[in-house]
Amino acid sequence: MFRFDARELLALPWELAPFRGAHGSALGQSEDVSIQYEMPGTTTRLPETPPDEGGTILLAWNGDVPAADHRAAIEEACRTAGHPPAIALENTSLRSLREEMDRVRPAVLHLLCHGEPIPSASPEGGARSYGLRLRDERGAGDR
Protein backbone atom coordinates (compact mmCIF):
# COMPACT_ATOMS: atom_id res chain seq x y z
CA MET A 1 0.00 0.00 0.00
CA PHE A 2 1.34 3.39 -0.98
CA ARG A 3 -0.01 6.16 1.24
CA PHE A 4 0.96 9.71 0.32
CA ASP A 5 0.08 13.13 1.67
CA ALA A 6 1.64 14.79 -1.40
CA ARG A 7 -0.33 14.41 -4.63
CA GLU A 8 2.76 14.69 -6.82
CA LEU A 9 4.02 11.36 -5.42
CA LEU A 10 0.94 9.64 -6.85
CA ALA A 11 2.09 10.63 -10.34
CA LEU A 12 5.32 8.64 -10.09
CA PRO A 13 5.42 5.20 -11.76
CA TRP A 14 5.76 3.10 -8.61
CA GLU A 15 4.88 -0.03 -10.61
CA LEU A 16 8.26 0.32 -12.37
CA ALA A 17 10.33 0.50 -9.16
CA PRO A 18 12.85 -2.39 -8.85
CA PHE A 19 11.67 -5.08 -6.48
CA ARG A 20 14.33 -7.19 -4.78
CA GLY A 21 11.97 -10.06 -3.99
CA ALA A 22 11.32 -10.61 -7.71
CA HIS A 23 14.99 -10.91 -8.76
CA GLY A 24 15.29 -7.26 -9.73
CA SER A 25 12.16 -7.08 -11.85
CA ALA A 26 9.72 -4.21 -11.50
CA LEU A 27 7.33 -4.14 -8.56
CA GLY A 28 4.34 -4.22 -10.90
CA GLN A 29 5.59 -7.42 -12.57
CA SER A 30 5.63 -9.51 -9.42
CA GLU A 31 2.75 -11.95 -9.10
CA ASP A 32 3.06 -11.74 -5.31
CA VAL A 33 2.41 -7.99 -5.14
CA SER A 34 -0.86 -6.10 -5.24
CA ILE A 35 -0.33 -2.35 -5.54
CA GLN A 36 -2.82 -0.03 -3.87
CA TYR A 37 -2.75 3.73 -3.42
CA GLU A 38 -4.25 5.78 -0.65
CA MET A 39 -4.33 9.49 -0.03
CA PRO A 40 -5.39 10.59 3.46
CA GLY A 41 -8.43 12.84 3.55
CA THR A 42 -9.93 11.50 0.31
CA THR A 43 -12.68 9.02 -0.44
CA THR A 44 -13.59 6.97 -3.45
CA ARG A 45 -17.02 7.61 -4.92
CA LEU A 46 -18.64 4.43 -6.14
CA PRO A 47 -20.81 4.59 -9.25
CA GLU A 48 -24.52 5.03 -8.61
CA THR A 49 -25.15 1.70 -10.31
CA PRO A 50 -22.23 -0.56 -11.12
CA PRO A 51 -21.84 -1.65 -14.74
CA ASP A 52 -23.06 -5.09 -15.72
CA GLU A 53 -20.48 -7.83 -15.46
CA GLY A 54 -18.51 -7.93 -18.67
CA GLY A 55 -19.63 -4.40 -19.55
CA THR A 56 -18.49 -2.32 -22.49
CA ILE A 57 -14.88 -1.48 -23.29
CA LEU A 58 -14.29 2.05 -24.56
CA LEU A 59 -11.02 2.57 -26.44
CA ALA A 60 -10.30 6.29 -26.85
CA TRP A 61 -7.19 7.96 -28.26
CA ASN A 62 -5.72 11.18 -29.53
CA GLY A 63 -2.47 12.07 -31.24
CA ASP A 64 0.39 9.97 -32.52
CA VAL A 65 -0.14 6.89 -30.38
CA PRO A 66 -0.10 3.17 -31.32
CA ALA A 67 -3.91 3.02 -31.41
CA ALA A 68 -4.03 0.43 -34.21
CA ASP A 69 -1.88 -2.00 -32.20
CA HIS A 70 -3.94 -1.52 -29.04
CA ARG A 71 -7.19 -1.81 -30.97
CA ALA A 72 -6.06 -5.06 -32.63
CA ALA A 73 -5.02 -6.55 -29.28
CA ILE A 74 -8.28 -5.54 -27.59
CA GLU A 75 -10.35 -6.87 -30.50
CA GLU A 76 -8.48 -10.19 -30.42
CA ALA A 77 -8.98 -10.46 -26.64
CA CYS A 78 -12.69 -9.69 -27.03
CA ARG A 79 -13.08 -12.33 -29.77
CA THR A 80 -11.22 -14.93 -27.72
CA ALA A 81 -13.34 -14.22 -24.62
CA GLY A 82 -16.62 -14.06 -26.56
CA HIS A 83 -16.99 -10.45 -25.46
CA PRO A 84 -18.64 -7.78 -27.65
CA PRO A 85 -16.14 -5.61 -29.53
CA ALA A 86 -14.83 -2.43 -27.95
CA ILE A 87 -16.23 0.94 -28.90
CA ALA A 88 -13.57 3.15 -30.50
CA LEU A 89 -13.37 6.92 -30.11
CA GLU A 90 -10.57 8.56 -32.11
CA ASN A 91 -9.38 12.19 -32.03
CA THR A 92 -10.70 12.36 -28.49
CA SER A 93 -11.48 15.66 -26.81
CA LEU A 94 -12.52 16.08 -23.20
CA ARG A 95 -16.09 16.82 -24.33
CA SER A 96 -16.30 13.83 -26.68
CA LEU A 97 -14.87 11.57 -23.96
CA ARG A 98 -17.39 12.82 -21.38
CA GLU A 99 -20.29 12.41 -23.81
CA GLU A 100 -19.25 8.89 -24.78
CA MET A 101 -18.67 7.90 -21.15
CA ASP A 102 -22.17 9.15 -20.26
CA ARG A 103 -23.72 7.43 -23.29
CA VAL A 104 -21.94 4.08 -23.01
CA ARG A 105 -21.15 3.85 -19.26
CA PRO A 106 -18.21 1.56 -19.98
CA ALA A 107 -16.84 -0.98 -17.53
CA VAL A 108 -13.33 -0.28 -18.90
CA LEU A 109 -11.81 2.88 -20.36
CA HIS A 110 -8.59 2.30 -22.32
CA LEU A 111 -7.23 5.81 -23.00
CA LEU A 112 -4.20 6.47 -25.21
CA CYS A 113 -2.72 9.95 -25.46
CA HIS A 114 0.40 11.87 -24.58
CA GLY A 115 0.92 14.10 -21.57
CA GLU A 116 2.08 17.69 -21.62
CA PRO A 117 3.05 20.40 -19.15
CA ILE A 118 0.31 22.79 -18.13
CA PRO A 119 1.55 26.39 -17.91
CA SER A 120 1.47 27.79 -14.41
CA ALA A 121 -1.05 30.54 -13.69
CA SER A 122 1.27 32.22 -11.16
CA PRO A 123 3.49 35.11 -12.36
CA GLU A 124 6.56 33.42 -10.89
CA GLY A 125 6.02 30.28 -12.94
CA GLY A 126 6.13 28.03 -9.88
CA ALA A 127 5.75 24.27 -9.98
CA ARG A 128 4.46 22.81 -13.22
CA SER A 129 1.63 20.38 -13.50
CA TYR A 130 1.00 17.89 -16.27
CA GLY A 131 -2.15 16.88 -18.06
CA LEU A 132 -3.44 14.74 -20.91
CA ARG A 133 -3.09 15.99 -24.48
CA LEU A 134 -6.58 15.67 -25.94
CA ARG A 135 -8.07 17.30 -29.03
CA ASP A 136 -8.86 20.97 -28.49
CA GLU A 137 -12.46 21.58 -29.58
CA ARG A 138 -11.76 25.26 -30.18
CA GLY A 139 -9.74 24.36 -33.26
CA ALA A 140 -6.37 25.17 -31.72
CA GLY A 141 -4.90 21.69 -32.21
CA ASP A 142 -4.25 19.40 -29.26
CA ARG A 143 -4.36 20.52 -25.62
Side-chain angles (χ1 to χ4, degrees):
M1 165 89 58
F2 290 99
R3 184 179 184 142
F4 300 116
D5 286 326
R7 290 186 189 277
E8 59 271 16
L9 293 176
L10 289 171
L12 296 174
W14 295 104
E15 295 84 357
L16 301 177
F19 181 55
R20 291 184 189 166
H23 307 292
S25 65
L27 185 62
Q29 292 177 320
S30 175
E31 293 181 16
D32 300 330
V33 174
S34 173
I35 299 174
Q36 297 179 14
Y37 297 93
E38 184 176 301
M39 184 156 197
T42 64
T43 59
T44 301
R45 190 185 85 190
L46 297 174
E48 293 171 17
T49 56
D52 294 334
E53 186 174 327
T56 303
I57 298 171
L58 174 58
L59 168 61
W61 69 92
N62 186 61
D64 184 21
V65 294
D69 294 341
H70 284 251
R71 189 174 192 176
I74 290 170
E75 287 175 355
E76 176 61 28
C78 287
R79 271 193 301 278
T80 300
H83 193 282
I87 295 172
L89 181 63
E90 60 183 310
N91 299 319
T92 302
S93 67
L94 184 56
R95 179 185 302 163
S96 67
L97 182 58
R98 281 182 182 151
E99 289 172 354
E100 198 68 4
M101 294 282 292
D102 287 343
R103 186 182 76 77
V104 174
R105 296 185 47 96
V108 175
L109 169 62
H110 188 94
L111 178 62
L112 297 169
C113 64
H114 293 284
E116 68 179 352
I118 299 171
S120 174
S122 71
E124 304 85 37
R128 297 182 87 177
S129 296
Y130 291 82
L132 302 176
R133 183 180 295 164
L134 299 174
R135 184 174 54 84
D136 185 347
E137 294 166 333
R138 296 172 294 176
D142 292 342
R143 291 190 54 102

